[in-house]
Amino acid sequence: VRDKVRIFLEHLYQEGVEHDAKPMQSRRKRWNLEPDAAALVNVVLQAMGARRVLEIGTSNGYSTIWLADAIQPSGGSVLSADIDGDIQVEAARNLDAAGVANCVELRQADGGVVLREATDASLDAILLDSKRSHYLDWWPQMVRALRPGGLLAVDNVLSHASEVANFRSAVESDARFISTVVAVGKGELLAVKQFSPESVVSLPGRTTPS
Ligand SMILES: C[S@@+](CC[C@H](N)C(=O)[O-])C[C@H]1O[C@@H](n2cnc3c(N)ncnc32)[C@H](O)[C@@H]1O
């Protein structure tokens, strides 16, 4: 990430750690992505030239800033959904302070609703960091909404392995996806939607080696 954004993110992450250490209801905590996991997703999105990214689980916008930083240079946009409108007020403030508000749309909505509204093959990437018990139900919509070559990134697959076991099996056994789990942060599942054989066109002038 760019230096100015990095400094802001370091400060925001530290503040989140201190906030979450206080006694409070779990749903009041920020539960920000670990910086190394966020950095991994940021780099992959940049390598892909991603422009249309959906995040489910905004919290106070920490991960959203990492996503926005990745797609801002290519003129892309992030749609970030969270059911909690209060936390999204904080997110809006943080996005503004980080200088990425112009490429993010925040929507107070259930992740399943936003996925159902997404056009077929319209998304370059989805970051899933919300209520894990919904992931399996949301899977068909994620498959539909991701474009071929699109990326699904899922947080907490090692920290909450049993909660995502059925979902992880569905992804890993789906021939339309190639996936791996990376042991950074709380464990990131990265899954890439494969191009169907019909959609791969041979390039003119290329010859098959004999
Ligand atoms: C782990 S936190 C997200 C942290 C955020 N990605 C970050 O790194 O800063 C999970 C968030 O998911 C939201 N959430 C829970 N259920 C949801 C649902 N069904 N749809 C959308 N968001 C949901 C919660 O309100 C909470 O803010």
Side-chain angles (χ1 to χ4, degrees):
V1 296
R2 288 153 292 162
D3 280 352
K4 182 175 161 270
V5 180
R6 183 180 297 281
I7 292 163
F8 183 79
L9 282 168
E10 283 171 4
H11 171 76
L12 191 61
Y13 179 74
Q14 201 45 46
E15 193 188 271
V17 169
E18 285 160 24
H19 176 271
D20 288 1
K22 295 177 201 153
M24 71 183 77
Q25 289 176 308
S26 176
R27 64 186 185 84
R28 292 274 159 240
K29 296 196 180 194
R30 294 186 181 141
W31 298 119
N32 296 140
L33 231 57
E34 299 293 327
D36 53 358
L40 173 69
V41 175
N42 174 286
V43 166
V44 175
L45 292 183
Q46 292 199 47
M48 293 169 67
R51 301 186 75 245
R52 298 154 304 170
V53 176
L54 171 65
E55 173 179 57
I56 304 181
T58 316
S59 182
N60 67 335
Y62 175 76
S63 53
T64 322
I65 295 169
W66 281 95
L67 300 178
D69 173 82
I71 57 84
Q72 201 175 37
S74 60
S77 61
V78 177
L79 170 60
S80 184
D82 201 298
I83 44 169
D84 184 342
D86 292 338
I87 198 83
Q88 280 192 327
V89 173
E90 265 182 61
R93 225 175 10 241
N94 288 328
L95 293 166
D96 200 33
V100 296
N102 63 334
C103 60
V104 178
E105 181 191 343
L106 295 176
R107 195 175 301 169
Q108 184 187 359
D110 176 73
V113 171
V114 174
L115 279 168
R116 277 197 300 281
E117 286 173 2
T119 310
D120 291 1
S122 62
L123 298 174
D124 294 317
I126 299 172
L127 172 61
L128 208 48
D129 188 21
S130 67
K131 193 152 172 76
R132 289 175 287 276
S133 55
H134 292 324
Y135 293 177
L136 189 58
D137 287 346
W138 293 347
W139 174 235
Q141 295 296 342
M142 293 192 263
V143 174
R144 183 189 59 73
L146 275 174
R147 65 145 168 101
L151 173 79
L152 170 66
V154 186
D155 192 41
N156 296 108
V157 299
L158 295 178
S159 62
H160 294 74
S162 60
E163 289 183 21
V164 295
N166 290 344
F167 172 67
R168 200 176 146 183
S169 300
V171 176
E172 290 174 346
S173 62
D174 193 318
R176 295 166 295 183
F177 281 75
I178 300 283
S179 65
T180 189
V181 170
V182 189
V184 295
K186 303 205 170 128
E188 296 299 303
L189 170 69
L190 300 180
V192 178
K193 185 172 170 181
Q194 301 300 286
F195 289 86
S196 57
E198 317 79 76
S199 71
V200 179
V201 289
S202 49
L203 295 172
R206 279 183 75 180
T207 52
T208 313
S210 50

